[in-house]
Amino acid sequence: MTELATLPTNRDEDWRYSDGAFLAKADLDAINHWRTLEVPAGETRREQLTQSGSANSGSTDRLRVHVGRDARFEGFYLLSGSQYQRMEVEVTLEEGAHFEFGGVTIGGGASIQEFVTRVIHAHPGATSNQVVRAVQSGMSTGNFLGRIEVARDAQKTDAAQNFRAILLEKGASANTKPELEIFADDVLCAHGAAIGQLDEQASYYMAARGIPPQIARKLLIQAFIGDAFENIVDDAQREEMLDKALHELGDLSGGSA
Amino acid sequence: MLKIENLHATIGDTEILKGLTLEVAAGEVHAIMGPNGAGKSTLSYVLGGRPGYEVTAGSVRFNGIDLLDLDPHERAAAGLFLGFQYPVEIPGVSNVQFLREALNAQRGARGEEPLSGGEFLKLAREKAGLLKLDMEMLKRQVNVGFSGGEKKRAEMVQMGILDPKFAVLDETDSGLDIDALRTVGDGINSIMRAPDKAVLLITHYQRLLDYVKPDKVHVLAKGRIVKTGGPELALQLENEGYEAVAA
Ligand SMILES: Nc1ncnc2c1ncn2[C@@H]1O[C@H](COP(=O)(O)OP(=O)(O)OP(=O)(O)O)[C@@H](O)[C@H]1O
Ligand SMILES: [Mg+2]
């Protein structure tokens, strides 16, 4: 979108759940930096990234994608780490194009991880599917702001969006805010959101079969996160993402939980 | 083998078990019958250590150890198996993964070597065959999308794989069709009928007891065992009802 003239603050809608302290001291050029990707008609591009943070106070990754006619863009992301992390994706879909998005946040301490997406169904027959899973412990926060825009002539749009968060500890939190701007009438838009704890019944069922609590917890979280990476077509790559996520969880449970 | 004495248990502020005493010897099958809400499932959960169920008095000894002192997963490793009245669905976790983790955790707790993937699958295939459950079902997520009867049969496959010493089976017969009832009955006998094992069968009907013959039948009402008899007690209850027999 347009360049920001000044640093964003929590008063800006798209940054409302962001780390205010990070924003106040951020580098405007870095925040204004967008990666761009053009997916030619009929082709497929995939991106798989893990951001586990660094010593500085946080990072933003902003990606703008144009997906050509009957083309596909698939992006899978893992945000984890001790600081503020924001992954933002803006996707414009041509006729018959598809956007597949899977995101996982894993946070501990006082960290904030967030996904912000804007999916523009500009033309008819495009589809999008977004699945975000957040696992937060400590005082951390996981966010998903997902905006879907369906243009007037973008009939037969099929856009799905699903967010679920598990709060492992009392101080953890999650925010979500689906925004649908629909100007066409023949449109399917499914969105769902749920924030809760680990399933106690399932945990007990596992214990009743002899599975110790730490392993039960790991299995349940693994299954939960798996939703977001389910549509990574390559088995090895899917395993890799899951392994990385579990590794991050291991770091978490070694600490506070 | 299992000795329950004067057990009192509460859920929240409500006392559900009110001085329950019961002893099951090795090699025996006992049936527990009783009206809805009597506390039968509560008893099974208290034995299984389910969070939210608080024991306020009494004791439970299992092969000489204090069962109530163990965490739920330790009770399983000690040889206790709970067949759930309402088996729980675990989305995203396959039966194979679930049961292999469970078996190997139990083996580990007992100081035994874990089973390899191949050894485990062989065992799982054998037990699924025993219960006439398609092996493909075990590759699916735990109980997700299973019919009522399939869940019950899958639980018996779990029991076969985990090979417990003592099983508390809470209405395992509910939801089973006529053929499945026989299969499950045969399965229970084949898995649990041994001199060093015992079973507590919670049921409302005689029909499962036709296949799994109980040594004793107890009536549980208002949180206590109010009557104990032989297999004939179940028939009498079925004919005359709880009010007449155990009032
Ligand atoms: N979570 C709970 N909170 C409060 N009361 C409960 C809870 N769970 C069970 N109870 C009550 O405890 C009593 C015993 O329930 P329980 O499930 O043990 O009965 P049951 O004998 O297994 O009955 P059924 O034959 O219907 O399965 C019932 O009155 C029930 O309402
Ligand atoms: Mg019950």
Side-chain angles (χ1 to χ4, degrees):
Chain A
M1 289 286 290
T2 49
E3 289 243 315
L4 296 165
T6 56
L7 285 170
T9 71
N10 290 138
R11 281 187 299 279
D12 294 295
E13 198 59 25
D14 286 353
W15 302 80
R16 59 191 295 182
Y17 301 119
S18 309
D19 182 346
F22 167 82
L23 293 180
K25 285 184 291 179
D27 173 28
L28 185 61
D29 284 345
I31 290 221
N32 271 326
H33 177 69
W34 285 85
R35 296 189 289 128
T36 57
L37 178 67
E38 173 70 35
V39 187
E43 297 197 10
T44 297
R45 293 285 182 279
R46 295 198 177 93
E47 178 173 279
Q48 208 169 302
L49 283 178
T50 61
Q51 315 270 22
S52 51
S54 54
N56 53 31
S57 60
S59 67
T60 57
D61 180 8
R62 310 179 81 188
L63 170 66
R64 183 172 294 136
V65 190
H66 180 256
V67 189
R69 205 182 163 116
D70 296 321
R72 279 176 82 86
F73 174 64
E74 302 176 358
F76 297 96
Y77 305 92
L78 168 65
L79 302 183
S80 63
S82 54
Q83 305 291 341
Y84 173 61
Q85 269 165 335
R86 175 186 179 98
M87 170 81 214
E88 191 168 345
V89 190
E90 185 190 297
V91 181
T92 305
L93 299 169
E94 295 294 329
E95 188 163 348
H98 180 76
F99 172 49
E100 185 70 39
F101 179 78
V104 168
T105 70
I106 295 175
S111 65
I112 298 177
Q113 292 82 26
E114 62 184 354
F115 287 106
V116 180
T117 64
R118 178 172 174 215
V119 182
I120 304 158
H121 285 258
H123 299 282
T127 52
S128 61
N129 184 42
Q130 305 178 69
V131 179
V132 176
R133 294 290 178 264
V135 181
Q136 310 297 140
S137 58
M139 302 287 285
S140 72
T141 305
N143 304 323
F144 176 40
L145 302 190
R147 184 151 86 214
I148 294 172
E149 300 172 19
V150 181
R152 203 172 308 276
D153 69 337
Q155 304 297 356
K156 306 283 179 204
T157 286
D158 188 343
Q161 196 186 75
N162 188 280
F163 175 73
R164 281 170 61 201
I166 287 182
L167 310 179
L168 293 174
E169 289 171 303
K170 256 209 166 79
S173 60
N175 303 288
T176 185
K177 186 168 162 287
E179 259 185 277
L180 309 175
E181 274 181 27
I182 303 173
F183 294 104
D185 45 29
D186 186 7
V187 168
L188 273 177
C189 257
H191 67 97
I195 298 173
Q197 274 80 43
L198 266 193
D199 183 345
E200 279 179 22
Q201 289 209 47
S203 302
Y204 176 66
Y205 197 59
M206 289 189 164
R209 296 296 174 255
I211 300 176
Q214 323 83 275
I215 298 181
R217 190 171 117 126
K218 194 186 112 185
L219 287 172
L220 290 173
I221 295 176
Q222 188 176 358
F224 178 76
I225 289 171
D227 291 351
F229 297 148
E230 194 175 18
N231 289 322
I232 300 179
V233 281
D234 184 276
D235 287 346
Q237 287 184 351
R238 189 174 55 247
E239 289 298 316
E240 189 191 326
M241 284 298 269
L242 272 176
D243 283 350
K244 281 183 179 159
L246 286 178
H247 180 78
E248 295 297 333
L249 279 164
D251 287 355
L252 276 185
S253 51
S256 53
Chain B
M1 175 165 223
L2 184 80
K3 192 169 184 191
I4 305 171
E5 276 183 305
N6 187 34
L7 189 63
H8 290 255
T10 56
I11 305 172
D13 292 333
T14 316
E15 183 169 66
I16 310 290
L17 299 184
K18 303 169 179 168
L20 187 143
T21 297
L22 177 68
E23 187 167 359
V24 184
E28 291 185 348
V29 171
H30 288 207
I32 290 189
M33 306 181 82
N36 294 133
K40 302 182 298 298
S41 294
T42 301
L43 172 63
S44 77
Y45 290 139
V46 167
L47 293 176
R50 186 171 192 143
Y53 292 71
E54 200 197 337
V55 174
T56 49
S59 66
V60 181
R61 298 197 73 78
F62 178 53
N63 281 335
I65 55 170
D66 178 1
L67 188 72
L68 302 179
D69 201 34
L70 302 181
D71 284 340
H73 69 283
E74 296 170 334
R75 298 182 193 197
L80 177 73
F81 180 88
L82 219 64
F84 283 58
Q85 183 173 359
Y86 304 108
V88 177
E89 301 184 2
I90 312 182
V93 179
S94 76
N95 285 281
V96 168
Q97 185 185 21
F98 172 61
L99 287 168
R100 193 173 161 208
E101 290 281 358
L103 180 61
N104 282 338
Q106 289 198 21
R107 291 178 68 94
R110 295 191 292 256
E112 300 163 12
E113 289 295 311
L115 287 196
S116 72
E119 288 167 325
F120 174 78
L121 283 177
K122 185 164 170 278
L123 177 68
R125 200 165 287 123
E126 180 200 323
K127 301 304 176 187
L130 182 67
L131 273 303
K132 300 198 171 92
L133 191 79
D134 191 339
M135 192 58 196
E136 287 304 308
M137 298 279 294
L138 289 189
K139 294 181 183 154
R140 284 168 48 184
Q141 303 171 48
V142 177
N143 291 323
V144 175
F146 285 26
S147 75
E150 286 166 347
K151 285 181 184 171
K152 295 303 175 90
R153 245 180 314 155
E155 285 234 306
M156 291 303 97
V157 176
Q158 294 181 14
M159 184 170 79
I161 290 170
L162 298 172
D163 192 26
K165 290 277 179 258
F166 189 89
V168 182
L169 304 181
D170 192 357
E171 296 196 27
T172 296
D173 50 346
S174 76
L176 293 176
D177 68 43
I178 296 161
D179 294 340
L181 189 67
R182 177 191 294 271
T183 306
V184 163
D186 291 347
I188 296 172
N189 288 327
S190 139
I191 298 162
M192 297 303 295
R193 276 289 186 192
D196 61 338
K197 294 183 168 189
V199 178
L200 201 55
L201 274 182
I202 297 171
T203 184
H204 284 295
Y205 303 103
Q206 169 64 32
R207 48 187 194 184
L208 181 63
L209 306 181
D210 289 338
Y211 298 109
V212 187
K213 300 246 171 350
D215 299 285
K216 282 184 183 162
V217 175
H218 309 274
V219 180
L220 198 167
K222 299 196 179 91
R224 315 175 53 155
I225 301 295
V226 295
K227 195 175 173 93
T228 295
E232 72 288 346
L233 179 57
L235 288 167
Q236 192 192 351
L237 285 167
E238 189 144 278
N239 290 330
E240 301 172 24
Y242 295 114
E243 298 237 342
V245 177

